[in-house]
Amino acid sequence: MSGSMLGVSALLLLLLLCFMFHNEACYKKSLMTPFNITLVIMFTVMIITYTAELMMLLLPSPPALLEAIVVLDTVIMEYCYLRYAYARSSPILSDVYPAMVQIISKMLKYLPIVYACTPVLYCLSAYVDCTPLITEILYRGSHALGVLGGQFALFIDLVLLSAFMKYIKLTAVNSSSIDGKFLIIAYYGIAAILCAFATMGFFVLYIWFCLRRFYMMINLMFSCVCATMGAMKVALFYEDLMVFSVRKTTSLAMLSPTQ
């Protein structure tokens, strides 16, 4: 499965890059935006993860460094997802739950500390020559920090999910306030969050049962998160084009002489 997902991830990254260079460059949009950079990092890290996992399966005695790379990649992908989701949805969050903007912003500011300590503790448990007790403490500590980071991510996801659903409900009541881009962000955001919830669920099952099938489902679900974020970007791009086309048509109609 790792080999198949590696090929799919590489294909998705290639399609994303082709889309960026072909479409955004043609319309003179900046390619080096925080959104684009975050998406490329997510897909690149996903490829590295599947490569490391494939090597772990093929090598007779894989080094612990490969598993450390997977742990590091996991926290990088999770943080990039949270930053991307928050950056895209902050206008909706400001309208629906303005008080939560500062709270989530501060959480995202300090989350890298938790995420950075997770692979560090794992590497210490794997490489530093300690007593079995210290090694076990370091190993358990890395898992505990991973769970703590997951709890923060769960809280942020729940807030964003509630904001998306409330925004959709408000637009259903008042159709005049509909913003096409916000609706796209809300619908794709809900899909990404549901995939993220599934990722967390499989992570809990993996910690509890230590079965590889659950571990593979974690990566599969996170690949779905990345793909959803990429699809959101494409949908927002074409929404911008449609709005621009409508405005251009309206302007031409206003400038044309009356018959």
Side-chain angles (χ1 to χ4, degrees):
M1 186 176 179
S2 296
S4 301
M5 293 308 300
L6 174 61
V8 171
S9 301
L11 178 61
L12 289 175
L13 177 60
L14 179 62
L15 291 174
L16 177 65
L17 292 174
C18 290
F19 176 83
M20 289 178 180
F21 283 101
H22 180 265
N23 292 295
E24 299 194 346
C26 288
Y27 289 93
K28 298 181 180 179
K29 290 188 175 185
S30 175
L31 294 174
M32 301 301 291
T33 64
F35 298 120
N36 288 348
I37 293 172
T38 304
L39 271 179
V40 171
I41 290 175
M42 289 174 67
F43 281 101
T44 303
V45 170
M46 196 163 56
I47 291 172
I48 295 173
T49 300
Y50 286 126
T51 302
E53 289 180 352
L54 188 60
M55 292 176 66
M56 289 167 62
L57 290 174
L58 296 178
L59 294 177
S61 55
L65 177 61
L66 291 177
E67 191 169 350
I69 290 174
V70 173
V71 174
L72 177 61
D73 289 348
T74 301
V75 296
I76 291 175
M77 284 193 292
E78 187 171 328
Y79 183 70
C80 286
Y81 154 69
L82 291 174
R83 291 293 307 184
Y84 188 90
Y86 172 71
R88 282 295 192 193
S89 59
S90 55
I92 297 177
L93 195 62
S94 299
D95 288 343
V96 180
Y97 300 129
M100 296 303 301
V101 174
Q102 284 285 59
I103 295 175
I104 294 180
S105 180
K106 287 183 179 180
M107 289 178 68
L108 290 174
K109 182 179 180 181
Y110 295 107
L111 257 180
I113 299 174
V114 177
Y115 285 149
C117 290
T118 302
V120 168
L121 290 182
Y122 180 83
C123 288
L124 289 175
S125 69
Y127 289 102
V128 178
D129 188 14
C130 302
T131 62
L133 177 61
I134 298 298
T135 300
E136 181 69 16
I137 291 174
L138 291 173
Y139 182 77
R140 295 293 181 183
S142 68
H143 278 290
L145 286 177
V147 172
L148 178 62
Q151 294 299 315
F152 283 125
L154 178 62
F155 173 78
I156 295 172
D157 279 338
L158 285 173
V159 172
L160 294 180
L161 179 62
S162 177
F164 292 151
M165 296 180 70
K166 189 172 181 180
Y167 179 80
I168 292 173
K169 186 177 179 180
L170 289 174
T171 56
V173 174
N174 184 12
S175 59
S176 61
S177 63
I178 293 177
D179 186 305
K181 292 182 68 173
F182 284 3
L183 273 181
I184 289 172
I185 292 171
Y187 282 120
Y188 280 90
I190 289 173
I193 289 172
L194 292 178
C195 291
F197 285 165
T199 303
M200 294 178 194
F202 283 117
F203 178 77
V204 172
L205 290 173
Y206 174 70
I207 293 297
W208 189 264
F209 295 104
C210 294
L211 294 177
R212 181 166 178 78
R213 70 187 71 170
F214 295 132
Y215 182 77
M216 296 305 298
M217 289 304 299
I218 293 172
N219 291 329
L220 178 60
M221 287 296 101
F222 210 91
S223 297
C224 293
V225 172
C226 295
T228 304
M229 294 290 99
M232 179 195 292
K233 173 180 177 54
V234 175
L236 288 172
F237 175 82
Y238 285 110
E239 174 68 17
D240 281 339
L241 284 188
M242 187 181 72
V243 171
F244 176 78
S245 177
V246 170
R247 288 176 179 175
K248 185 176 180 180
T249 303
T250 305
S251 300
L252 291 175
M254 293 176 65
L255 292 175
S256 62
T258 56
Q259 297 297 325

